Structure formats: structure tokens, C-alpha cells
Amino acid sequence: MEAVQRRRVTVRGVVQGVGFRPYVYTRATGLGLAGHVTNTPEGVVAEVEGAPAAVLAFCERLAAEAPPLAVVDAVDHCEVPVAGGAGFTIVASRAGGPARTLVSPDVATCADCLAELADPADRRHRHPFITCTHCGPRFTIVTGLPYDRAHTTMARFPMCADCAREYADPTDRRFHAQPVACPACGPRLRLLVGTPPREASGADPVAEARRLLADGAILAVKGLGGYHLACDAAHPGA
Ligand SMILES: [Zn+2]
Ligand SMILES: [Zn+2]
């Protein structure tokens, strides 16, 4: 029987909210390794166990092939006692201790999400809060570390069955994407008008906002990290 080795790998830098745990999962399972990965206040910590050649292959190029939004400052690994067991899992985050990991900035909507946004057949067609593992809000919504949905402002929005399935599927591009939502769950748009502000009646806040802009109104559009002021610059009233 071939010898088995187990190593603990700690990755520091901007490694939370950037798809790093799904990346580790895919890499480890692709090499047939057992073990687990978790977010900790120190960074992402993985333990991998298997044939020494596969363990070495896992550790090599882990930083070089990291997801596009990750910024890896350091990778430490050390041998730990073999624990046995099969399969690779993403385990619940460990809190406590001083937070030393970095939070990803908000990231502009990616090409894949833009394509879904414009696709009438997609369930997120024109969904204003579209996001995935590689784009969307991060710093704006984080309330604590490690970066997990429970430590974001999305914690109050339970995922619908479809979103929960995407979130749990290692082959889905929203696997462990913390801000995942859709028109059936998650935040809603609303339009406030008047003084004091009250919610506008009418079904579609976007259609009503367009009508107001055409009439010369000035709107404050709440986005990630703040407000944009919007008006029709060619309208004399505005
Ligand atoms: Zn995206
Ligand atoms: Zn949903």
C-alpha cells in the first residue's frame, strides 16, 4: 500500500469572498485528495491527505493558479498526522482570535453575470442584485470575519431553493458565493419620493424612476458603497 501524507496549508491575503474555498475544493478533489477547507480569521486553512505526489501537486502552484480576485500574500504548509477518512469538504468557518485576513473590495459585475442579466430566458434576467463567486459586493456588505453569509448584510435574506442549490453545488459558478440572491429571494428595489420620503406606489420602481428622470427629476440611486445622483442633463428643469 502506498504511503499517505497529510499537510495543513494556510493561505493569507485577500482570500475570502473571492471563491478561494471552491477553488481549493476543486483542486483537491481533482487530485483525489481527502480533507477539508475552512475560512478562519487568519485566512483560508486546508488540510489535504493522500499520496505524497498528489499532496505536493496540490501545494505547488496553489497561489499561482488562484482565482482572479484573490491576492495571495503567503502560503504556509506543514505536515500533520494522517487522519484517515475519505472525501473533501468545506467546513463551517471558525471564528475567534485576532482577525488577520483581508476583505475583498466590491467587484464590478462580471461578463457571465452581464450575459445572464440580458438573457430573457435566465431566471436572473434584469435582476438588479445579480452576483457570483467572481463579482458583486464584498467590502460594502461585510459585517464581520471570517467572510461568510452570516457575517454580511445578506444574513437576513434566506436563500430560496434554487439559490441554495447553486450555493451548495461545487460545479456551479455560484458555489459558496455569499451574496447570492434572485428575484424570488434577497433584497428588493424600492423608490422613495416626497418629503418626508415615502414608498412610491406602482409596480415597477425602475419604470417609475425612468418616468421621473424624463420629467426632469433628480434621483439618488443607492448602489454599492454610496449614492449616485442621476438626472437628464439636457432637461432645463433638472
Ligand atoms: Zn459574476
Ligand atoms: Zn433565490
Side-chain angles (χ1 to χ4, degrees):
M1 189 180 142
E2 198 181 8
V4 166
Q5 194 186 53
R6 187 179 187 90
R7 290 191 90 81
R8 180 182 297 136
V9 185
T10 304
V11 187
R12 295 187 180 86
V14 182
V15 291
Q16 297 184 8
V18 295
F20 209 91
R21 286 177 301 174
Y23 160 67
V24 166
Y25 177 94
T26 305
R27 197 176 173 90
T29 52
L31 288 162
L33 293 170
H36 53 79
V37 61
T38 187
N39 275 342
T40 77
E42 269 197 311
V44 168
V45 177
E47 287 195 11
V48 290
E49 180 171 322
V55 171
L56 184 67
F58 175 86
C59 294
E60 283 180 349
R61 305 194 57 74
L62 183 70
E65 291 167 11
L69 301 182
V71 181
V72 176
D73 286 340
V75 180
D76 298 326
H77 46 95
C78 59
E79 195 160 350
V80 293
V82 168
F88 195 88
T89 51
I90 296 179
V91 297
S93 296
R94 223 165 58 217
R100 290 202 278 172
T101 196
L102 303 171
V103 180
S104 165
D106 301 330
V107 179
T109 310
C110 73
D112 287 343
C113 285
L114 287 176
E116 289 182 359
L117 188 72
D119 178 2
D122 192 274
R123 72 190 192 89
R124 289 190 181 83
H125 180 229
R126 293 187 171 173
H127 179 55
F129 305 100
I130 195 164
T131 173
C132 74
T133 306
H134 298 303
C135 76
R138 300 289 187 275
F139 188 80
T140 290
I141 61 167
V142 77
T143 57
L145 289 172
Y147 177 75
D148 269 320
R149 192 170 176 104
H151 292 138
T152 72
T153 55
M154 294 297 290
R156 78 187 78 155
F157 299 102
M159 281 181 259
C160 71
D162 287 339
C163 288
R165 184 178 37 72
E166 291 170 344
Y167 183 89
D169 177 0
T171 66
D172 193 278
R173 66 187 199 85
R174 293 191 171 88
F175 181 44
H176 275 256
Q178 306 306 336
V180 69
C182 76
C185 64
R188 294 279 185 280
L189 287 182
R190 60 186 187 139
L191 177 68
L192 302 178
V193 292
T195 315
R198 56 187 158 62
E199 193 155 348
S201 54
D204 182 356
V206 174
E208 179 62 8
R210 287 175 63 172
R211 194 191 63 72
L212 287 168
L213 286 174
D215 282 353
I218 301 170
L219 300 181
V221 184
K222 188 177 187 182
L224 297 180
Y227 286 86
H228 291 277
L229 295 180
C231 72
D232 175 2
H235 193 290

